Amino acid sequence: MNIKQIVYIFFLFNMTSFAVGREILNFYIEESENNIYQNYGELESKAGKKFYKWKIGTGSSNLNENWIFDYDIEKKYDKEENTDGWENTFSLSRKLTEKEIFGKSWYMDIGPYVKYNVSDIAGDFGEDFKENKYSLRYRVRTNSDLGLGGAYWGVDFFISSIDTNSRDGYSFEGNFTGNINLGYGFQNFFTIYNEYLDYANNRGTYLFRVENNFRWTYDLSEKFALSIDSEIDSYNYFRNTDQDKSFKFNIGPYILYSQDITDEFRIFAKVGVVGYNFEEVKTKFSSVSESGLYIKIRCGFEYIF
């Protein structure tokens, strides 16, 4: 099958059929199995900085027709800052009754969500970092006819308790997320975050964040594809915080590789070595920006069962 004919989106699968969704050469395919496990290593280099990431395990497990367990276990290392840490997420979601509104099907789930985010920083570089999140999450998903392949979108609501190494507190979120498949290999993924923060140095702070990934993919063969990705991640803070804003942008070509060893097991890689990256961070006390060559290499394996 030509991958440009595959238009299904992973997060909609999980909300409708509770089957496993696999990303292969930048496109998503539904499988009949109940579980997916992925493990990969990643190198990211920009402005002379190197970041290493090991996804020890990320995936989903359909416990039954109503419950799904998602997990993401990541070990990270910042070579320049001599910092290593963990960023892990776990969630358990219960499917709710599907609703028909305005002629569309709306899929919903609810359940606990935990994010464990800690970093050990070498003594000369500063204080260790901890920001753990314990949430109740409610999600809604639906689809529309935008684009040649359709659009899939929804909202996520979080009520969270936050545990930090300075001041504990809480947060509320209402986020809008989705994907538009424009056809001819073009896709756009986005999330618009709206968060109320009251923990650490944020005392009743509003965070408006936009995350967007626009990409074009061309399949070179059954195992290889060419992709041009552009990513934007913008933070804007308002009221009662020492943070102001940050902006990240990168763009570049990637070579994608995927090889099925068996029907259940495959290996994959994504290599980009000539991209461009720009970052700017502003606080009440400083402003720093940097740009330059962007390199990102990822390789690993995936198993479904």
Side-chain angles (χ1 to χ4, degrees):
M1 179 183 292
N2 187 302
I3 62 173
K4 293 186 179 62
Q5 297 173 337
I6 303 168
V7 298
Y8 301 108
I9 304 303
F10 173 67
F11 71 75
L12 187 66
F13 284 157
N14 280 343
M15 300 301 294
T16 57
S17 63
F18 277 70
V20 168
R22 306 173 70 194
E23 182 182 53
I24 299 178
L25 300 177
N26 267 359
F27 289 82
Y28 293 87
I29 301 175
E30 184 177 13
E31 302 286 354
S32 59
E33 285 78 2
N34 290 326
N35 303 279
I36 182 169
Y37 170 78
Q38 196 175 96
N39 183 302
Y40 63 83
E42 182 176 287
L43 164 65
E44 184 176 356
S45 178
K46 50 189 176 183
K49 301 176 181 178
K50 289 186 178 180
F51 306 91
Y52 299 93
K53 179 190 300 182
W54 178 27
K55 287 286 187 182
I56 297 174
T58 182
S60 299
S61 179
N62 295 329
L63 306 180
N64 56 40
E65 63 180 11
N66 290 319
W67 288 93
I68 184 170
F69 175 66
D70 295 307
Y71 58 93
D72 189 284
I73 304 171
E74 175 185 310
K75 181 68 174 176
K76 55 186 179 180
Y77 178 67
D78 180 344
K79 184 176 181 180
E80 183 184 40
E81 299 291 340
N82 195 21
T83 300
D84 67 90
W86 294 89
E87 187 168 334
N88 306 332
T89 59
F90 306 93
S91 66
L92 184 64
S93 304
R94 176 175 174 78
K95 181 181 178 181
L96 302 177
T97 302
E98 175 186 332
K99 302 290 185 181
E100 290 286 335
I101 305 174
F102 304 122
K104 293 186 177 297
S105 297
W106 298 77
Y107 309 95
M108 295 157 284
D109 71 8
I110 191 170
Y113 174 96
V114 175
K115 182 175 183 178
Y116 176 77
N117 188 11
V118 298
S119 294
D120 296 325
I121 302 174
D124 295 336
F125 290 91
E127 185 181 8
D128 291 348
F129 173 82
K130 177 179 72 170
E131 187 175 294
N132 300 325
K133 181 177 182 180
Y134 307 94
S135 310
L136 177 66
R137 181 182 65 183
Y138 174 72
R139 297 187 295 185
V140 180
R141 295 290 186 271
T142 191
N143 66 318
S144 66
D145 297 327
L146 293 175
L148 295 180
Y152 305 89
W153 55 276
V155 291
D156 299 342
F157 297 99
F158 292 82
I159 300 174
S160 307
S161 174
I162 311 295
D163 172 31
T164 76
N165 53 338
S166 57
R167 185 177 73 93
D168 298 343
Y170 58 92
S171 70
F172 303 106
E173 298 178 47
N175 306 325
F176 178 55
T177 186
N179 162 271
I180 302 175
N181 194 313
L182 301 169
Y184 305 104
F186 291 95
Q187 296 173 303
N188 193 72
F189 300 82
F190 66 89
T191 303
I192 300 173
Y193 300 83
N194 293 274
E195 302 184 35
Y196 177 85
L197 313 175
D198 199 318
Y199 63 89
N201 294 327
N202 307 302
R203 301 180 180 274
T205 301
Y206 169 62
L207 169 61
F208 178 74
R209 179 187 176 192
V210 176
E211 191 174 22
N212 195 84
N213 182 349
F214 181 77
R215 66 193 188 191
W216 171 75
T217 306
Y218 181 78
D219 50 324
L220 301 172
S221 67
E222 184 180 351
K223 299 176 183 178
F224 289 92
L226 169 67
S227 172
I228 298 177
D229 291 20
S230 67
E231 298 175 313
I232 292 174
D233 197 0
S234 173
Y235 290 74
N236 289 273
Y237 295 86
F238 302 91
R239 297 182 55 216
N240 305 327
T241 182
D242 55 9
Q243 303 179 83
D244 185 4
K245 62 182 65 178
S246 69
F247 180 80
K248 299 180 181 180
F249 169 75
N250 62 71
I251 185 170
Y254 294 84
I255 293 295
L256 311 178
Y257 169 75
S258 178
Q259 170 69 59
D260 289 333
I261 306 302
T262 68
D263 290 341
E264 297 81 19
F265 182 81
R266 75 179 179 104
I267 58 175
F268 61 87
K270 182 173 183 177
V271 179
V273 295
V274 291
Y276 170 79
N277 179 77
F278 172 81
E279 293 189 23
E280 182 180 42
V281 178
K282 292 184 178 180
T283 70
K284 287 184 177 180
F285 314 106
S286 65
S287 177
V288 178
S289 64
E290 55 191 23
S291 61
L293 183 67
Y294 180 71
I295 298 172
K296 191 171 185 177
I297 301 172
R298 174 187 297 179
C299 58
F301 67 88
E302 180 181 78
Y303 181 64
I304 60 172
F305 56 101

